[in-house]
Amino acid sequence: MNMPVDMSTTLGNAWFPTPIFTASGCASSGKELSQFFPLKDVGAIVTKSVMSKPRHGRPTPRMAETPSGMLNSIGLQGPGIDSFLANDVPWLLEQKARVVVSIAGETIEEYATLARKLRSVSGISAVEVNISCPNVENRGLVFACDPDASRRVIDGVRKTIGGELPIIAKLSPDVTNLPEIARGVVDAGADALALINTVLGMVINVDTMKPHLGGKTGGLSGPAIKPVAVRAIYQVHAALPEVPILGMGGVSSGRDAFELILAGASAVSVGTASFGNPSALVKIQEELREILSAKGFATLKQAVGYAHREENA
Ligand code: RRO
């Protein structure tokens, strides 16, 4: 018989019964997935990054298949924060799901406005501050590519939202010195880090000889980026071992989730895999439980960052 495993985890002061979460943007606010499993059965629902106003997103086509991956160019389509808070959050709380609200802005002030609106909302577990959306008009607007801009966004959110709600800063792997950016946002008040957003990529249709995506470039996700995620999580956990990481990037099995945990993730989001199998989160959660038990871990926490231990011995 398998040994029972305590799968619970924490990100800042937020507690979750299991470490498997949805990935922002891949399950909207969870309504479709709720047809396949009760949302309260997974660790948390991380909602699609929401902005202050409703938004149509980028021109179509917005998706492209690539070898072992998928390219998206959604461009922050969404209902805007007021509709989201009136409709999506109450529905998720009715499902007894744990909710991580992801926010995105074009300016530091927009992030602060969003934080102000979230401050009075009860029942949410944490806020993910997405400073790394690749699908913006101007790469200069990708805050997570610039240490100073990253810090200023997180500082503004922290000052506005108060001390209670944990802040998870979502970073981009498309930078030279990821630990430097990570350290900056933690100093500015982030309690945890989400690693990684999609990797900037592009597909050209060789029949039409033009860029395939309406937005030309897009974010690469799926199995192709798992080694990038493992590297990013490992590097940041080595530099900041006390800072919890919500890991994501190409996870489609319990073994993949375990790999990110060994690198240093305290929780793992599943995104692209849910498009092929809407029950992927539940499958991955059970596989992870079995692997942890088979490896002799009584708690998930004992496995977090395990791959670093030999180095330090
Ligand atoms: O909406 C998007 O196009 C998008 C976002 Br906000 C993000 O953070 N990452 C991504 O791959 N796409």
Coordinates of all heavy atoms in Angstrom, one line a residue, residues 24 48-49 58 72-77 104 130 132-135 170 197-198 218-220, ligand 1:
S24 N -2.6 30.5 -15.4 CA -3.3 31.6 -15.8 C -3.5 31.6 -17.3 O -2.5 31.4 -18.1 CB -2.6 32.9 -15.4 OG -3.3 34.0 -15.9
K48 N -7.4 34.0 -15.7 CA -6.8 34.7 -16.8 C -6.4 36.1 -16.3 O -7.3 36.8 -15.7 CB -7.8 34.7 -18.0 CG -7.4 35.7 -19.1 CD -6.4 35.2 -20.1 CE -6.1 36.2 -21.1 NZ -4.7 35.9 -21.7
S49 N -5.3 36.6 -16.7 CA -4.9 38.0 -16.3 C -5.9 39.0 -16.7 O -6.3 39.0 -17.9 CB -3.5 38.4 -16.9 OG -2.5 37.5 -16.5
R58 N -5.7 40.6 -29.5 CA -5.0 40.8 -30.7 C -5.8 40.2 -31.9 O -6.7 39.4 -31.7 CB -3.6 40.1 -30.7 CG -2.6 40.9 -29.9 CD -1.3 40.2 -29.9 NE -0.2 41.1 -30.2 CZ 1.1 40.8 -30.3 NH1 1.4 39.5 -30.2 NH2 2.0 41.6 -30.5
N72 N 0.7 31.2 -28.6 CA -0.5 32.0 -28.5 C -0.2 33.4 -28.6 O 0.9 33.9 -28.2 CB -1.2 31.7 -27.2 CG -0.7 32.5 -26.1 OD1 -1.1 33.7 -25.9 ND2 0.2 32.0 -25.2
S73 N -1.2 34.1 -29.2 CA -1.1 35.6 -29.3 C -2.5 36.2 -28.9 O -3.1 36.8 -29.7 CB -0.7 35.9 -30.7 OG -0.7 37.3 -30.9
I74 N -2.9 35.9 -27.7 CA -4.3 36.3 -27.3 C -4.3 37.8 -27.1 O -5.3 38.5 -27.5 CB -4.7 35.6 -26.0 CG1 -4.6 34.0 -26.2 CG2 -6.1 35.9 -25.6 CD1 -5.3 33.4 -27.3
G75 N -3.3 38.3 -26.4 CA -3.3 39.8 -26.2 C -4.2 40.3 -25.1 O -4.9 41.3 -25.3
L76 N -4.3 39.5 -24.0 CA -5.0 40.0 -22.9 C -6.5 40.2 -23.1 O -7.1 41.2 -22.6 CB -4.3 41.2 -22.3 CG -3.0 40.9 -21.6 CD1 -2.0 42.0 -21.7 CD2 -3.3 40.6 -20.1
Q77 N -7.1 39.4 -23.9 CA -8.6 39.5 -24.0 C -9.3 39.3 -22.7 O -8.8 38.4 -21.9 CB -9.1 38.4 -25.0 CG -10.6 38.6 -25.3 CD -11.1 37.4 -26.2 OE1 -10.3 36.7 -26.8 NE2 -12.4 37.3 -26.2
A104 N -3.1 42.3 -14.9 CA -2.1 42.8 -15.8 C -2.4 44.3 -16.1 O -3.6 44.6 -16.2 CB -2.0 42.0 -17.1
N130 N 0.9 39.8 -13.1 CA 1.5 39.3 -14.4 C 2.3 40.5 -15.0 O 1.6 41.4 -15.6 CB 0.5 38.8 -15.3 CG 1.1 38.2 -16.6 OD1 2.3 38.2 -16.8 ND2 0.2 37.7 -17.5
S132 N 4.7 39.9 -17.2 CA 5.5 39.3 -18.3 C 4.7 38.8 -19.5 O 5.2 38.0 -20.2 CB 6.2 38.1 -17.7 OG 5.3 37.3 -17.0
C133 N 3.5 39.4 -19.8 CA 2.8 39.0 -21.0 C 3.6 39.3 -22.2 O 4.0 40.5 -22.4 CB 1.4 39.8 -21.1 SG 0.6 39.3 -22.6
P134 N 3.8 38.3 -23.1 CA 4.7 38.6 -24.2 C 3.9 39.3 -25.4 O 4.5 39.8 -26.3 CB 5.1 37.2 -24.7 CG 3.9 36.3 -24.2 CD 3.4 36.9 -23.0
N135 N 2.5 39.3 -25.3 CA 1.7 39.7 -26.4 C 1.3 41.2 -26.2 O 0.1 41.5 -26.2 CB 0.5 38.8 -26.6 CG 1.0 37.4 -26.9 OD1 2.0 37.2 -27.7 ND2 0.4 36.4 -26.4
K170 N 4.7 37.3 -11.6 CA 5.0 36.3 -12.7 C 6.0 36.9 -13.6 O 5.9 38.0 -14.2 CB 3.7 36.1 -13.5 CG 3.9 35.0 -14.5 CD 2.6 34.3 -14.9 CE 2.8 33.1 -15.8 NZ 1.6 32.4 -16.1
N197 N 6.5 32.5 -17.5 CA 5.5 32.9 -18.6 C 6.0 32.2 -19.9 O 7.1 31.6 -19.9 CB 5.4 34.4 -18.7 CG 4.0 34.8 -19.2 OD1 3.4 34.1 -20.1 ND2 3.4 35.8 -18.7
T198 N 5.2 32.3 -20.9 CA 5.6 31.7 -22.2 C 6.8 32.4 -22.8 O 7.2 33.5 -22.4 CB 4.4 31.8 -23.2 OG1 4.0 33.2 -23.2 CG2 3.3 31.0 -22.8
G218 N 4.4 35.4 -30.7 CA 3.5 34.9 -29.7 C 4.3 34.2 -28.6 O 5.5 34.2 -28.6
G219 N 3.5 33.6 -27.6 CA 4.2 33.0 -26.5 C 4.1 31.5 -26.7 O 3.1 30.9 -26.9
L220 N 5.3 30.9 -26.6 CA 5.4 29.4 -26.7 C 5.2 28.7 -25.4 O 5.8 29.1 -24.4 CB 6.8 29.1 -27.3 CG 7.1 27.6 -27.6 CD1 6.3 27.1 -28.7 CD2 8.6 27.4 -27.9
Ligands
RRO1 O1 -3.1 37.1 -23.2 C1 -2.0 36.7 -23.7 O2 -1.8 36.8 -24.8 C2 -1.0 36.1 -22.8 C3 -0.6 36.5 -21.6 BR1 -1.6 37.8 -20.7 C4 0.5 35.9 -20.9 O3 0.9 36.3 -19.8 N1 1.1 34.9 -21.5 C5 0.8 34.5 -22.8 O4 1.4 33.6 -23.3 N2 -0.3 35.1 -23.4

